[in-house]
Amino acid sequence: MLRKTRHFLLIASLFVGYTSLSSITYADSLPSSLQQTIRSQSLPLDSMGIWIKRANDTQVLASHNSDKLFNPASTIKLATTLAALLELGPDYTWRTEIRTTAPIVNGVLRGDLIIRGTGDPGLVSEEHWRMLRDLQRTTGLKRIEGNVILDDSYFNLPAGDPGAFDGQPFRAYNQLPYALHVNSNALKFHIIPENSTNQIRVEVEPPLPGLRINNQLTRGSGSCDAWQRGIRYDVTGNQVTLSGSYPVQCGPYELLRSAVDPAYNAAELFRLHWAQWGGELTGQIRSHSGTPLTGERVMVHSSRPLGDLIKVANKWSHNVMTRHMALTLGAERLGAPATLEKARVALSNALANAGVNTSGLYIENGSGLSRTARITPNQLGQVLEAGWKSPYRPEFMSSMSISGVDGTTRRQYRNDPKAGRMHLKTGLLNQVSAISGYVRSRCDEDIMVVLMINHPEAHQGHGTRMQQLIVDWAYQQPRRDGSC
């Protein structure tokens, strides 16, 4: 996904501090056929790093700037998710605890209900709805005469601005971690032209009780490929205004955005789902940070396993989920509460234990939504090698986008022999383009591929073409003995 940036200085900072690892000697090796392919494009060779190698082989097929540090964009998610997978295991689950400060008597709680999250990255509306159903079913609770307290103390993070990266605070990819996230704080706005009423209907999912929708959309015509189909999106307090002339010939449209802060989102979803199950609440819904609250534990909700959730994180390049996985690893290895520094240390240690050279490597937040993250093609290649040798190889590989099938490469190689033969992770920021993963060649050999490009024009189509050329070259390789 292209991340637009608002400030030239922010863009320029991408090129500050690019260094190579002084302790490593460059050993570039680009076959002539690949050199010709690269030179036929508009990007300079010194702007890219390449590492290509057959699985289970010691010989590198191609390398260039392989020990130079690059901004990897979202391909760094492979390092984060592999570290979590190796250290926590594919069956790891997040626990959301529900506690009470008084006994439940005849379905009534004359005290507070505490919901303590640990950063479940996959908690969506349906699971939250079922969690409250299970609470009523297992405890008989129907009426809360105290308060509901959302305890987010498991994450100890500095205050942040979701718009700090690129000035887009309501984009879903920019949302910050929160220990009680539901739907990663995202809302889906359904834009529905109605011919019978000559109106444009707007529905929001989930329908937060306290969120107001100011629908100022008018019927119009225009390009279906226009940015947001001409919809202007504005937020003031707890009100979302949608305005503009909508091209009705394009049919329905979905807009994924954030509108409120995470604590408000979690509180309003509790109101919605608790009422849907016939529950009553006479008190308030409050947030709590700091020291974890105590009380009698009455229920624990477990998330889907890590092995399932990394599929969402990698296939669809989900920033919030991956950031939660990094924080969780830090808390599990270095103790709660989770902090950014613990996450970075735990990630580095886990990768080093897996055989990755971590010298110079820097993972800012685990997601790749960063101007300071750095890794070399060789190091990212070592991540692929560690994943290949791991007993969790099937889980790791299946978490990546499958060419022509799903995820971020679903539109590539459709109706092509290469469809389904590549497990890939893409990365795209302003001035950064990257791809990494496993290619099953035409000769049925598995080849590991890393490409990172840092250049002012990397995100403007040139980088995507280079990605395709690199993986195509890997696909065409004969076996080591020259057969096929």
Side-chain angles (χ1 to χ4, degrees), residues 20 355-356:
S20 60
V356 177

Side-chain angles (χ1 to χ4, degrees), residues 103-382:
I104 299 170
V105 180
N106 297 324
V108 178
L109 171 62
R110 291 183 174 89
D112 295 335
L113 184 79
I114 301 166
I115 304 178
R116 184 169 189 255
T118 57
D120 179 354
L123 188 60
V124 293
S125 291
E126 294 84 350
E127 286 196 21
H128 187 269
W129 181 77
R130 287 194 295 269
M131 180 177 73
L132 297 188
R133 175 203 63 187
D134 293 344
L135 174 62
Q136 291 192 4
R137 180 178 293 166
T138 57
T139 66
L141 178 62
K142 283 293 186 177
R143 180 179 173 86
I144 304 169
E145 295 188 350
N147 298 315
V148 173
I149 303 176
L150 305 176
D151 184 350
D152 64 359
S153 59
Y154 194 76
F155 285 177
N156 182 13
L157 304 174
D161 174 12
F165 183 77
D166 58 5
Q168 300 288 341
F170 302 112
R171 295 295 181 84
Y173 64 76
N174 264 333
Q175 297 311 296
L176 302 175
Y178 174 65
L180 278 161
H181 258 320
V182 187
N183 300 320
S184 297
N185 201 37
L187 299 166
K188 185 178 291 185
F189 293 86
H190 297 269
I191 317 300
I192 308 166
E194 289 188 330
N195 294 328
S196 59
T197 62
N198 212 33
Q199 301 293 318
I200 305 291
R201 189 170 87 251
V202 175
E203 295 183 359
V204 62
E205 179 187 353
L208 302 182
L211 183 68
R212 301 189 303 275
I213 306 298
N214 180 18
N215 179 8
Q216 296 184 6
L217 290 171
T218 60
R219 295 173 67 89
S221 60
S223 172
C224 298
D225 296 325
W227 173 246
Q228 293 185 178
R229 292 190 179 175
I231 299 172
R232 292 190 295 274
Y233 182 89
D234 298 291
V235 178
T236 304
N238 296 330
Q239 176 175 287
V240 173
T241 299
L242 300 169
S243 60
S245 177
Y246 183 79
V248 294
Q249 80 279 4
C250 300
Y253 182 66
E254 293 180 356
L255 188 65
L256 187 68
R257 290 290 182 270
S258 174
V260 294
D261 68 71
Y264 184 89
N265 179 63
E268 290 302 290
L269 276 170
F270 182 90
R271 293 187 196 279
L272 176 67
H273 294 155
W274 188 243
Q276 287 177 347
W277 285 112
E280 297 178 73
L281 170 64
T282 63
Q284 304 298 314
I285 303 179
R286 299 174 179 172
S287 295
H288 172 81
S289 301
T291 304
L293 296 175
T294 59
E296 181 184 357
R297 187 171 64 192
V298 296
M299 198 192 86
V300 174
H301 171 79
S302 295
S303 73
R304 286 176 287 165
L306 173 64
D308 287 349
L309 294 178
I310 63 170
K311 292 181 180 180
V312 182
N314 282 334
K315 283 183 185 293
W316 302 102
S317 205
H318 201 300
N319 292 330
V320 182
M321 293 182 71
T322 321
R323 294 176 76 157
H324 276 217
M325 291 173 188
L327 289 165
T328 299
L329 181 59
E332 287 286 353
R333 288 295 173 261
L334 300 171
T339 67
L340 287 172
E341 186 56 30
K342 289 178 184 177
R344 292 165 188 156
V345 171
L347 284 171
S348 181
N349 290 344
L351 293 172
N353 291 339
V356 177
N357 170 22
T358 59
S359 176
L361 183 152
Y362 181 70
I363 303 177
E364 183 183 8
N365 55 43
S367 73
L369 192 68
S370 167
R371 293 292 172 187
T372 59
R374 294 291 184 268
I375 192 171
T376 72
N378 188 36
Q379 288 170 327
L380 194 50
Q382 289 171 0

